Amino acid sequence: MHGNAQDQLGRISRNGKLVIHGDVGQTFMYGAKGGCVYVLGNAAGRPLITRSAGPKSSCNGTMPGFPGESFMAGDLITAAGSLS
């Protein structure tokens, strides 16, 4: 996707790959069970909450406001960004 993505991108995803050339909105990958998301911009509040084992994500910008809240399993990865 070229540009910004709206709230709840990748919600309950199971597989596949999303590449966002911009920012993502609130609660992206909420409840995801698989797949990959690459964000070249920033993520708004509460990204990657209540996700389980399989999904992977990379954010080149910042992820403020409780990233990975209620993590069930998996790894939280940031490319060059910061978690705050």
Side-chain angles (χ1 to χ4, degrees):
M1 174 181 291
H2 293 276
N4 297 328
Q6 295 183 0
D7 295 349
Q8 298 186 6
L9 174 81
R11 185 171 184 221
I12 63 173
S13 69
R14 294 188 188 273
N15 59 27
K17 184 187 301 184
L18 291 169
V19 179
I20 311 302
H21 294 266
D23 298 335
V24 293
Q26 299 282 333
T27 63
F28 91 93
M29 292 199 74
Y30 178 93
K33 293 181 175 23
C36 295
V37 175
Y38 302 96
V39 180
L40 299 178
N42 299 309
R46 299 184 78 194
L48 305 161
I49 62 173
T50 64
R51 69 180 216 160
S52 59
K56 299 195 183 318
S57 64
S58 175
C59 184
N60 201 34
T62 60
M63 284 188 189
F66 309 106
E69 177 184 18
S70 301
F71 234 25
M72 296 188 193
D75 297 321
L76 184 63
I77 302 168
T78 58
S82 64
L83 299 173
S84 56

